[in-house]
Amino acid sequence: MDISFFSPPEITTFFHKNPQKNDPYLDMQSTNNQPQSSHTSTSISSDSGEPCGDGKWASRLLRECATAISDKDSTKIHHLLWMLNELASPYGDCDQKLASYFLQALFCKATESGQRCYKTLASVAEKSHSFDAARKLILKFQEVSPWTTFGHVASNGAILEALDGENKLHIVDISNTLCTQWPTLLEALATRNDETPHLKLTVVITASIVKPVMKEIAQRMEKFARLMGVPFEFNLISGLSHLGGLTKENLNIQDDEAIAINCIGALRRVQVEERTAVIQMFQSFQPRIVTVVEEEADFTSSKNDFVKCFEECLRFTTLYFEMLEESFPPTSNERLMLERECSRSIVRVLACDDEIGEGDSECRERGSQWTERLREAFSPVSYSDDVVDDVKALLKRYRTGWSLQPQQADHESGIYLAWKEEPVVWASAWKP
Amino acid sequence: MTEEVISSGFIQTPIGEANPPPLKKKRNLPGTPDPEAEVIALSPKTLMATNRFLCEICGKGFQRDQNLQLHRRGHNLPWKLKQRTSKEVRKRVYVCPEKSCVHHHPSRALGDLTGIKKHFCRKHGEKKWKCEKCSKRYAVQSDWKAHSKTCGTREYKCDCGTIFSRRDSFITHRAFCDALAEETARVTAASNVVAANSINYHFVGASLGPGMGQHFASMFKPISTNNETPANPIRQGLSLWMGAHGLSQTQESIGNNNLQEIHHQLNPAVSSSGLVFTTDPFVSVPCSNPPPINYPLNWDFGNKPSSNSSEELTNNSSSLPLSNVAKDGGSQVISVPSLFSTQHQSHQTHSTANMSATALLQKAAQMGATTTDPSFLGSFGLKCNDSQIQDGNRYCSPYGGTATSVATALQSSVTDHLSTLNELQMYPSKRRHIQVDQDSTPTTGGGQTRDFLGVGIQSICHPSSINGWI
């Protein structure tokens, strides 16, 4: 399949074939396979003021392109990719951004170059991921949006309550949050009780991009714990290729410790086939509590159906991008970085399916799906009223649009953070 | 309602005898009651009852004795019955009904009925009142009201100068703030976070107790191992402190004066930096422990050989004030450390003017070459939306090092590979528009929350100098 972007000019004739119709793009489909003589030579230039009245051109185009790829219709693919290329921009409005990043993924899928693309993107990102940049990025994101802090507050509350009264705490943090969850927990440990327990924090990172900054993070955390007056020990496990390699020994779990396992966006990085095994491994550590926070999207059950997977990916990413756009100021560097990070994830999900990557699978599942898995080994713990109140108070501190969808009485499978009524993040707690 | 009146060992006078009312109401320490007083132990039910004062005529109950008296007037009683009984004159103290409580014993009784009610609620009661904003819970309504008034209005100020209205973001910022590295001993964790403003004073060591000497030292032990972290003159300077043990106390006053001079030279608006310059705490440094003594002596150290550094300060008062401690990626911009950094040749010869160059050197090392061949992009026919890119700050550290790496990557894989093209789109439009959104003297100080970490644009990328690196 030979895709060249910069195709001969006759393609442009399609745009103005039927000027009366509202949607020239749909027309392209019908006229696709018929050779046309050039009517007009003007093409829709790279200008974002589209003649089309409907603002959601990106999703439509992208969907069609995905269908075309699934159907292996190379001419159509060619056309759509070219159009998207013309209209897309990572600096434009939401539609343009979506078009740009999904175009990248679709292109990789069409040319079967997903793996290479992902690796390149990842290595570029890694180089620019200094401690200061990473810190600034994550703290700014947490300042403008509760996307991550929602899970932190819920999990911290559950952990504090479950481990209340214990003297030796050991928290296994499987996440890439750069320990931004823990300062508030440390502060709570220091001020809540008369007797401050000893805390051992073992951080397991799965995304290699995070690794270089963790050394600095470790130092800061130790210093902060000292400041708070909490006896603290920090360990880092970073060399694991996959979570299945965790054992009691390499986590250094002692018998007299009260264990809490904290998984933030971690389970989705496990290969789908290994997820059950990983959950059982958690069970073997005999934790007092397991807190799980994941994004609410399903990229797993539709693995075999590209279009369906694509639709779900597009839906979720659209929500995410819209949220980012409304949360950050207009010319925000941080937002750009987050969008790029998301784009890497999109490439990974859509264009790397059959290839085992370096561990980050990114195949999200919904809360209900995770619940099914976790129920095999654990039973759910409802968040107490205090924790729910804390979360509600947290959401109040952000802009409007965020809400808490409470736990369903029947499933009891956790709470959802909702952006404009759409659930986006799921948080839950489990005990053996 | 039944009241149990316990005659404790203290009370010898029989009931009915009137005590002359005290001329002046002395306030005892809470829980150390007047031995002459009558001890009353109320049951929890009675304590929490709202209408303890009953009118004997109609049986109506009132919360307060004054209200009852007011009500009784309305009954048109004959004069004799209007009088209060002498029984009420004697002072009463109350014990807490909760057995495990320290105030349960008569010797620790509380003198005020309202006081004992509040105590009982706070310590042993259910917290029924909840703050909407922060979900903190209270058992006593007046506590809750008082909190609601101040909740959300308090501001937390970090040592780096950034102000927060939210406690949780303040705590998280604090944990990762560069200013944390300069902290001295803390007495308690709670007092640090709760009394946000007092953080500034703590630093000076006014609150250092004798026991904190070790802690103080331990805070700085890791400094020597931190050389690989981003240039931090404060840390280097602090190691100076540990070495400066032998100096006599007489120099301290000199140090103080010099410091005050410098303080006035610097922008007085900047009072919330990692190193506090409020003069009062300095004067009041107790000097009983070696470590605090060294602190003012440091200034002396820096001052003696380098009157030039003071001059440099005045010369360059326009740039790089104290509050830019938490600067990403670069050397510290604090001008005061420049005083003792003249001792420390290893690190930086920091005049503020040189500092910008040094900072930029480091920045440039991170960022590498910023030129990419525009024609390279042109051949791909991609459009770059330049209009969005206005803030030069965005192209600082996040892009450090990517320019060269991407450029080389491109050379090696010359494909129409979209991914790299996306990266590239950034670079030709990388205009170093440095927004100087303050006037020529970027005297930031605590009042302006520029961006989240208190990093100012102009402080990092001094416009005139940075263009030389492009």
Side-chain angles (χ1 to χ4, degrees), chain A residues 6 46 86 90-91 104 128 132 135 143 187 215 220 227-228 331 333 340 386 389-390 393 397-398, chain B residues 130 133 135 137 166-168 176 178 186 189 193 228 329 380 383 388 394 398 402 422 426 452:
Chain A
F6 313 100
S46 53
E86 277 293 297
Y91 313 115
Q104 174 178 277
S128 61
D132 286 316
R135 168 183 70 176
E143 174 75 2
E187 194 261 342
K215 180 162 176 264
R220 304 276 172 135
L227 184 71
M228 287 286 116
T331 55
N333 200 27
R340 287 202 182 157
D386 279 346
D389 284 340
D390 280 342
R397 300 199 272 268
Y398 290 99
Chain B
K130 196 165 64 77
K133 290 181 207 157
S135 78
R137 290 202 147 141
R166 274 167 41 196
R167 189 156 182 259
D168 52 347
F176 297 106
D178 290 330
R186 290 288 183 260
V193 183
E228 65 276 3
F380 286 95
K383 65 183 173 77
Q388 307 289 336
R394 303 198 294 144
T402 55
N422 276 338
M426 295 300 296
F452 192 76

Side-chain angles (χ1 to χ4, degrees), chain B residues 9 13-14 36 38 72 137 146 192 206 230 233 263 273 279 295 306 313-314 319 331 392 398 401 406 458:
Chain B
T13 55
E36 300 289 309
E38 180 184 351
R72 280 172 86 231
R137 290 202 147 141
N192 299 333
H263 175 52
S273 66
T279 54
Y295 180 76
S306 58
L313 280 175
T314 48
S319 56
S331 54
V406 171
Q458 67 286 344

